[in-house]
Amino acid sequence: MGAQKSIHAGKAKIDFNVDLTHKLCGALLVPSLRNSSGPFSQIVGRVSIKHPNIFGGSEKLDLLWDKGLQDSNVVVAIRRPRPEWLSQQSFIIQHSITPEIAVHGMPVNRLSQMGSGGINISRFSTGVDLTEPPSTKWSTKTNIRFERVSLINDDGRPINLDHDGFPITCSGTSHDNMVVLKQESQYAVADDNKFSRLNFQIEQGLPLLSKWLIFNRFKFVASKGVRVGPALLVTSLTGASIVGDMAPHQAFSIGGYGSIRGYGEGAVGSGRSCLVMNTEFTVPLSKRLEGALFMDCGTDLGSAHLVPGYPAIRQGKPGHGVGLGYGLRLNSHLGQFRVDYAVNALQRKTVYFGINSLTS
């Protein structure tokens, strides 16, 4: 249930999309994390504004606002026109508020769900993106940004301690500041019978001020897909690590729909390092319907004790886990509708619902 409307105002285009279906799904699957008595608190939707010539020099403006039941995200991007053989430049301003469930949430129901830890992340960043012209197989993107991460409770008030009295920032105050240089490189090759993808991300916290975070963060994702008759076997491996300054909210969390199914978000562990493997075998059942068998597994590589405040250890997270299950994939013009049934290593069962929108 929802509504969508496009309005043209001069050269600008405004898209409104309000989706009440997500409100229903969220109410069934996610417990309320903060006071939701406001008149717009139960509305989920997206507002998109585009302008092709905001300053008269063909600069493109993109403004996007996504609002969820418990989170929000605002992005303002201005893209300068440049020849295709040169790197494309974008000036980005972003502000988001999200519940910090993965690291500070409380495991319940034998790790299959996570309760609220009463901590939310308010993240403001601004910087410049440089996207290099893609080659045949490689693409590269570099950005430098200033980032301020503030920790707030469910009432929106600044906090610097968790429910056990441990610090939740590196600075000891209610916020962390950093200037981050990030480079992301991706390799992709595909044909009718197989594909391979490799993604590298390196982030460096720059030492501009002594109280700002200085770190090096590395992450890779390697995926391989092979056709077996009409079926498709896809395996992916994700690894990450961070050295230097670290706040608990920077820990790599394991568990959840995008990680190890059968567990709550971050219920397996959160550490300075992680390694996760996902394998999925999909078989077409009809023209639009597919069946899937999957296995997920992962570990924090014994790095939970290296996270300040030891949040995963205090909450009894095991640090490793395995999830098995099956699911259905329905492909439509609106996107792919997904249903997964997963069982974790503690024999706890979980059902996941998801939509991969073609327009997002």
Side-chain angles (χ1 to χ4, degrees):
M1 295 179 295
Q4 185 170 350
K5 181 70 175 178
S6 295
I7 300 174
H8 291 272
K11 294 183 178 181
K13 180 184 177 183
I14 304 174
D15 295 327
F16 295 93
N17 182 12
V18 178
D19 192 347
L20 301 182
T21 305
H22 290 295
K23 170 187 177 296
L24 176 60
C25 294
L28 292 174
L29 298 176
V30 181
S32 180
L33 300 179
R34 60 170 66 92
N35 187 354
S36 58
S37 59
F40 301 105
S41 62
Q42 298 300 300
I43 295 179
V44 174
R46 166 177 289 191
V47 176
S48 175
I49 300 176
K50 299 178 181 293
H51 198 293
N53 190 19
I54 187 65
F55 297 125
S58 297
E59 299 89 352
K60 295 182 179 179
L61 168 70
D62 288 309
L63 190 153
L64 180 66
W65 175 38
D66 281 311
K67 182 190 177 301
L69 287 174
Q70 312 296 342
D71 60 341
S72 68
N73 183 42
V74 179
V75 180
V76 180
I78 299 176
R79 295 175 172 83
R80 295 180 55 192
R82 303 195 76 190
E84 293 183 358
W85 62 87
L86 297 177
S87 60
Q88 302 302 303
Q89 298 179 354
S90 302
F91 177 71
I92 309 291
I93 301 175
Q94 183 173 10
H95 180 259
S96 64
I97 299 178
T98 55
E100 179 41 281
I101 300 176
V103 175
H104 296 287
M106 308 299 294
V108 294
N109 295 336
R110 301 182 75 181
L111 305 178
S112 66
Q113 295 180 2
M114 296 294 288
S116 172
I119 299 174
N120 304 275
I121 293 182
S122 174
R123 189 186 304 269
F124 171 81
S125 65
T126 180
V128 178
D129 286 359
L130 299 175
T131 303
E132 299 296 332
S135 64
T136 305
K137 299 177 181 179
W138 283 95
S139 61
T140 303
K141 181 178 180 179
T142 303
N143 69 57
I144 184 169
R145 68 183 186 272
F146 166 79
E147 190 168 306
R148 182 184 181 96
V149 179
S150 302
L151 284 302
I152 59 178
N153 62 16
D154 291 342
D155 297 323
R157 298 175 182 174
I159 55 176
N160 61 349
L161 302 175
D162 64 15
H163 55 276
D164 291 328
F166 285 83
I168 53 179
T169 61
C170 185
S171 65
T173 66
S174 62
H175 62 269
D176 286 321
N177 293 328
M178 64 199 87
V179 172
V180 181
L181 177 64
K182 177 180 178 180
Q183 184 171 57
E184 180 175 358
S185 299
Q186 180 166 295
Y187 169 88
V189 61
D191 58 34
D192 292 339
N193 297 315
K194 62 183 181 298
F195 71 84
S196 299
R197 297 191 189 101
L198 185 60
N199 181 279
F200 289 102
Q201 300 176 24
I202 299 177
E203 296 181 68
Q204 178 66 58
L206 303 180
L208 299 186
L209 292 179
S210 60
K211 294 184 178 181
W212 291 7
L213 273 62
I214 305 172
F215 60 89
N216 184 273
R217 180 184 175 106
F218 171 78
K219 180 180 180 180
F220 75 88
V221 181
S223 302
K224 179 73 173 181
V226 179
R227 287 284 178 188
V228 184
L232 178 64
L233 176 64
V234 179
T235 300
S236 65
L237 182 67
T238 302
S241 188
I242 182 173
V243 296
D245 295 337
M246 180 186 185
H249 57 78
Q250 292 179 297
F252 298 103
S253 61
I254 311 171
Y257 185 68
S259 177
I260 304 178
R261 285 162 284 191
Y263 296 86
E265 186 72 20
V268 174
S270 51
R272 271 188 179 262
S273 303
C274 73
L275 194 64
V276 176
M277 185 177 71
N278 308 100
T279 300
E280 184 164 297
F281 186 72
T282 57
V283 180
L285 302 178
S286 66
K287 184 177 180 180
R288 292 189 174 184
L289 187 64
E290 297 176 335
L293 298 173
F294 60 84
M295 181 182 74
D296 304 330
C297 60
T299 172
D300 64 8
L301 299 173
S303 63
H305 69 285
L306 300 177
V307 178
Y310 321 116
I313 296 175
R314 287 188 285 117
Q315 295 163 13
K317 298 181 181 181
H320 54 84
V322 177
L324 304 170
Y326 56 87
L328 293 174
R329 313 283 184 260
L330 177 62
N331 300 302
S332 73
H333 65 281
L334 297 176
Q336 185 184 70
F337 295 81
R338 302 165 60 96
V339 180
D340 286 334
Y341 175 86
V343 181
N344 66 23
L346 300 176
Q347 303 302 310
R348 187 71 184 183
K349 304 173 180 65
T350 307
V351 178
Y352 299 92
F353 299 91
I355 301 175
N356 292 341
S357 176
L358 296 178
T359 59
S360 62

